[in-house]
């Protein structure tokens, strides 16, 4: 979306593109804006007026995930760590910026653009939703499947195993729990997927019986689910050609077909996103004089 850089179609924008009073030039800021727009469905920059109040002298990118705002969206709060209970300029770099007001051309302000989205029940519609919002459940499912496989490997033989000790019961409940903890380790969660179940039986003089409860084909049972999840993720991201994103399709495309698919993707998705970004940039150009 922003990888090709900015191109001036009219006027002399040398000073604007250089953005000399900031650590980043306008091409770098545009790339960060495009990144936020894809991940969060919004993008923001902070502008600072010159001393005379005639034009914006400096532009800075602001990470969307650092921003909170009032309900009327006229005042924006920024913190480097919103998890902290105490928000102060010294501890979390807490600060605030007003929205653009061309009748008050002093100090800094925030220019905030968000993608239009439907307001769900219980929401106030203040914060943005990313374009892939409908695929978040599939994305989380994919993350959990990957974690399951990883922890299955880490847990070794504990793939849904039940061990029964055949020489009677421990004398006390505490002794039984202590015995179980020595073998099982931490309590079960996703990081202990395929954990062990331990039971006791009254028969004596027999070796423990080990039973596999889930079978050895658990990974195969996830194949169909993974395929479905991958398809849902691609659809949520408006991907018309998975091969463009390194996902091998059934069959193969030659170079000419890949070029055509890339053009279709640019027309159906990239161009629209670029127009949103260009609208904000042109507003920044206007404010910069």
């Amino acid at each position: 979306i922003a990888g090709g850089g900015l191109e001036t179609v009219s006027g002399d924008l040398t000073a604007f593109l250089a953005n000399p009073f900031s650590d980043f030039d306008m091409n770098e800021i545009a790339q960060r804006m495009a990144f936020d727009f894809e991940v969060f469905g919004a993008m923001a920059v902070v502008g600072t007026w010159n001393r005379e109040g005639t034009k914006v002298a400096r532009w800075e990118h602001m990470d969307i995930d650092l921003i909170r705002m009032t309900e009327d969206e006229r005042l924006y709060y920024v913190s480097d760590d919103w998890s902290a209970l105490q928000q102060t300029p010294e501890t979390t770099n807490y600060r605030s910026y007003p929205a653009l007001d061309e009748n008050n051309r002093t100090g800094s302000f925030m220019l905030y653009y968000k993608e239009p989205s439907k307001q769900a029940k219980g929401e106030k519609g203040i914060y943005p939703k990313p374009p892939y919002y409908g695929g978040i459940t599939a994305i989380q499912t994919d993350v959990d499947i990957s974690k399951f496989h990883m922890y299955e490997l880490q847990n070794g033989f504990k793939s849904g195993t039940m061990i029964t000790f055949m020489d009677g019961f421990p004398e006390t409940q505490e002794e039984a729990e202590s015995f179980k903890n020595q073998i099982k380790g931490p309590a079960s969660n996703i990081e202990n997927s395929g954990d062990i179940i331990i039971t006791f039986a009254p028969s004596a003089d027999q070796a423990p019986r080990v039973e596999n409860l889930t079978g050895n084909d658990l990974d195969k049972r996830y194949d169909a689910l993974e395929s479905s999840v991958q398809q849902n993720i691609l659809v949520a991201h408006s991907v018309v050609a998975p091969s463009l994103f390194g996902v091998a399709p059934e069959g193969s495309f030659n170079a000419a077909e890949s070029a055509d698919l890339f053009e279709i993707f640019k027309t159906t998705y990239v161009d629209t996103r670029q127009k949103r970004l260009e609208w904000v940039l042109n507003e920044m150009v206007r404010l910069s004089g």
Side-chain angles (χ1 to χ4, degrees), residues 21-35:
F21 300 107
S22 170
D23 293 334
F24 302 100
D25 64 34
M26 202 51 63
N27 274 293
E28 293 171 317
I29 289 178
Q31 290 177 3
R32 285 164 170 77
M33 291 168 65
F35 179 83

Side-chain angles (χ1 to χ4, degrees), residues 3 38 81 125 144 202 220 239 258 284:
E38 293 307 295
D81 181 13
D144 289 341
K220 295 184 177 64
V239 174
S258 296
M284 293 163 65

